[in-house]
């Protein structure tokens, strides 16, 4: 029993809710991050320690010249040292002041304490403001010249979603969580939570996830790899469950499928049955109106094959070697052509540089948004040739169906005049269509508070 899906969207119908009787999500206030360590967002590379202020006498020195973080987290372990003529100075009273919205966990923007026997003082945790930005930590002590370290961080991200063209705030999702699919987000501590159901926990100890897929009976499946390398999945009808006979460390593909390190695709819902071999990469799963699903593959020798719900791994027709699998029966050739390997290698688009998620609307037409080599937005669908999208800003990122993300962070609908359906967007997850036809797209948007 494989799976199947179109590109994702969240099913919240009464018989197929994202929620289950899972443990309620524990509230997360601020995530502590060791000073200087990389976060889940771009971090500033820490430079060498700042030079001492004076060659002789009392001198102050931060352990790092720059500390980085993300909005609504904390920077932990920042340290300042005092020395006297080059030797560690114990018992020196050192005050550190913060600027531009950074505060200490002990309260306020200033903290005073004395150095230890090693001449160092570890500062209280530093709270990073929601908007991030640049600040300064300034250390002072009687008889010493002040010294500074930079505080640099990116802004916090909140969880939101688009449902049938309307943006809404998700509930119970911790700041800086990663959008997964439909109404699901992955938190920084490895929980998958449901933002349509007050942050209900659907899975724990998750390291990575695959594509959500809905079967014809309205049950959806999402394959996972846990932090210990084991394979589990969640579905619309039950809790997190162990997959059967999936080798540790396998990559979740879609529904009940995982890709092993040996290049096999195995079905963890069917005892670990091998359904494809010699696979190096895979595309998006797509279910046609007849309920048959397809996943395009690139083999280790660069050839194109696919698997479907109705048969074994099959060679695609006239797909150039090394082409990138897109979705269903489509591949992107190195020359920018999208070819249909289920229909003799027919070229269905040209001059393509990137593509988004395939989406099939309730009327059975499917759409794939594209970005062309000149930055323009086009799309292909089941009902016609490659077409230009309307009023989509140049160099926008194709998202799903008729949606693109503009360089300015707006989600625009290129099939409906370029109307904006979301703003301040930092990233997006998988679109999911429920059985009733409604669709959901999870987002990360700029947070205004913690």
């Amino acid at each position: 029993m494989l799976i199947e899906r179109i590109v994702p969207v969240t099913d919240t119908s009464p018989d197929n809710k994202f929620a289950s009787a899972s443990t309620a999500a524990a509230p997360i206030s601020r995530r502590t991050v060791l000073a200087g360590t990389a976060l889940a967002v771009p971090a500033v590379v820490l430079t060498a320690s700042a030079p001492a202020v004076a060659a002789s006498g009392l001198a102050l020195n931060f352990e790092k010249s720059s500390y980085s973080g993300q909005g609504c987290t904390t920077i932990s372990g920042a340290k300042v040292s005092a020395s006297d003529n080059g030797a560690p100075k114990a018992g020196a009273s050192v005050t550190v002041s913060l600027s531009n919205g950074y505060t200490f966990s002990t309260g306020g923007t200033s903290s005073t304490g004395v150095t230890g026997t090693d001449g160092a003082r570890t500062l209280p945790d530093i709270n990073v403001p929601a908007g991030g930005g640049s600040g300064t930590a300034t250390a002072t002590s009687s008889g010493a010249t002040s010294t500074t370290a930079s505080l640099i961080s990116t802004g916090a991200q909140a969880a939101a979603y688009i449902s049938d063209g309307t943006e809404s705030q998700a509930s119970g999702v911790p700041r800086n969580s990663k959008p997964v699919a439909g109404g699901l987000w992955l938190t920084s501590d490895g929980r998958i939570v449901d933002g349509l159901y007050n942050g209900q926990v659907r899975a724990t100890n998750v390291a990575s996830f695959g594509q959500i897929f809905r079967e014809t009976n309205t049950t959806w499946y999402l394959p996972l790899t846990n932090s210990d390398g084991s394979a589990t999945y969640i579905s619309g009808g039950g809790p997190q469950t162990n997959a059967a006979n999936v080798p540790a460390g396998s990559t979740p593909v879609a529904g009940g499928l995982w890709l092993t390190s040996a290049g096999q695709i195995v079905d963890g819902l069917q005892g670990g049955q091998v359904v494809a071999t010699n696979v190096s990469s895979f595309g998006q799963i797509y279910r046609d109106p007849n309920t048959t699903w397809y996943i395009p593959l690139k083999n280790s020798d660069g050839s194109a094959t696919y698997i479907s719900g109705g048969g074994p791994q099959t060679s695609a027709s006239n797909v150039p070697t090394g082409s990138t699998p897109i979705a269903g029966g489509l591949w992107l050739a190195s020359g920018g052509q999208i070819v249909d390997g289920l229909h003799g290698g027919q070229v269905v688009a040209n001059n393509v540089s990137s593509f988004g998620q395939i989406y099939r609307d309730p009327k059975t037409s499917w759409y794939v948004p594209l970005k062309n080599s000149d930055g323009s937005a086009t799309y292909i669908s089941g009902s016609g040739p490659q077409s230009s999208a309307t009023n989509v800003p140049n160099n926008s990122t194709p998202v799903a169906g008729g949606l693109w993300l503009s360089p300015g962070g707006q989600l625009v609908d290129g099939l409906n005049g370029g109307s904006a359906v979301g703003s301040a967007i930092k990233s997006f997850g998988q679109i999911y269509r429920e059985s009733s036809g409604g669709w959901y797209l999870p987002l990360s948007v700029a947070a205004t508070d913690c």
Side-chain angles (χ1 to χ4, degrees):
M1 118 181 227
L2 222 284
I3 34 124
E4 73 143 300
R5 101 170 196 175
I6 176 177
V7 166
V9 187
T10 322
D11 196 340
T12 57
S13 57
D15 62 340
N16 187 25
K17 300 183 184 297
F18 265 95
S20 70
S22 306
T23 306
I28 293 181
S29 55
R30 295 176 177 272
R31 176 167 56 92
T32 299
V33 184
L34 293 179
T37 37
L39 297 174
V41 297
V44 173
V45 177
L46 302 183
T47 61
S49 299
V53 172
S56 61
L58 186 62
L60 301 176
N61 181 44
F62 279 99
E63 184 180 37
K64 301 287 185 179
S65 64
S66 176
Y67 296 90
S68 63
Q70 184 178 13
C72 298
T73 67
T74 57
I75 297 171
S76 180
K79 187 180 293 186
V80 64
S81 298
S83 61
D84 190 358
N85 291 314
K89 176 65 174 177
S93 178
V94 179
T95 297
V96 176
S97 300
L98 308 177
S99 71
N100 200 27
Y102 290 83
T103 60
F104 286 108
S105 60
T106 51
T109 59
S110 181
S111 175
T112 300
V114 297
T115 57
T117 56
D118 60 352
R121 182 196 168 208
T122 300
L123 303 179
D125 289 347
I126 298 172
N127 299 327
V128 182
S134 299
T136 301
T138 302
T140 59
S141 183
S142 178
T145 303
S146 64
T147 188
T148 63
S150 297
L151 303 172
I152 305 174
S153 62
T154 56
Q157 297 181 14
Y161 62 92
I162 303 291
S163 175
D164 295 331
T166 301
E167 182 177 2
S168 301
Q169 184 177 3
S171 61
V173 179
R175 292 290 188 259
N176 305 317
S177 295
K178 181 178 182 179
V180 177
L184 303 177
W185 281 260
L186 176 62
T187 69
S188 61
D189 61 354
R191 296 175 299 144
I192 288 185
V193 297
D194 191 334
L196 304 185
Y197 290 88
N198 299 315
Q200 185 178 39
V201 176
R202 304 285 284 119
T204 59
N205 301 316
V206 176
S208 61
F209 55 87
Q211 300 170 46
I212 195 171
F213 177 75
R214 179 172 58 85
E215 288 189 330
T216 54
N217 64 0
T218 74
T219 298
W220 56 264
Y221 295 89
L222 181 72
L224 311 169
T225 294
N226 286 16
S227 53
D228 63 358
S230 61
T232 63
Y233 64 91
I234 52 177
S235 72
Q240 185 176 10
T241 305
N242 291 325
N245 299 319
V246 176
S250 294
T251 300
V253 177
L257 302 178
W258 282 259
L259 175 62
T260 72
S261 60
Q264 293 180 320
I265 290 184
V266 297
D267 189 338
L269 304 186
Q270 298 292 322
Q273 177 185 0
V274 176
V275 296
T277 59
N278 300 317
V279 176
S280 63
S281 63
F282 54 88
Q284 303 167 41
I285 190 169
Y286 172 74
R287 190 187 76 194
D288 66 20
N290 298 318
T291 72
T292 299
W293 58 263
Y294 299 86
I295 299 180
L297 309 172
K298 182 170 76 171
N299 286 18
S300 53
D301 63 359
S303 61
T305 63
Y306 64 92
I307 49 177
S308 73
Q313 183 177 11
T314 304
S315 294
S317 300
N318 298 320
V319 176
T321 299
S323 294
T324 300
I326 298 177
L330 303 178
W331 282 259
L332 176 61
S334 59
Q337 303 94 356
I338 291 182
V339 296
D340 187 340
L342 304 186
H343 293 89
Q346 177 185 4
V347 175
V348 296
N350 291 285
N351 302 316
V352 176
S353 61
S354 63
F355 54 87
Q357 302 170 40
I358 193 170
Y359 175 75
R360 179 167 61 86
D361 65 23
K363 298 177 181 178
T364 74
S365 292
W366 57 263
Y367 299 87
V368 177
L370 310 172
K371 182 171 79 171
N372 285 19
S373 54
D374 63 359
S376 62
T378 63
Y379 64 92
I380 50 176
S381 74
S383 58
Q386 182 177 12
S387 303
S388 295
T390 305
N391 297 324
V392 175
N394 206 49
N395 289 318
S396 292
T397 300
V399 177
L403 302 177
W404 282 258
L405 179 60
S406 76
Q410 283 192 320
L411 190 67
V412 296
D413 187 341
L415 303 187
N416 288 288
S419 59
V421 295
S423 59
I425 296 169
K426 302 299 183 180
S427 64
F428 54 87
Q430 302 170 41
I431 193 170
Y432 176 79
R433 182 171 67 86
E434 58 186 10
S435 57
S436 62
W439 58 267
Y440 296 85
L441 179 71
L443 308 168
S444 283
V445 300
T448 58
D449 57 46
C450 293

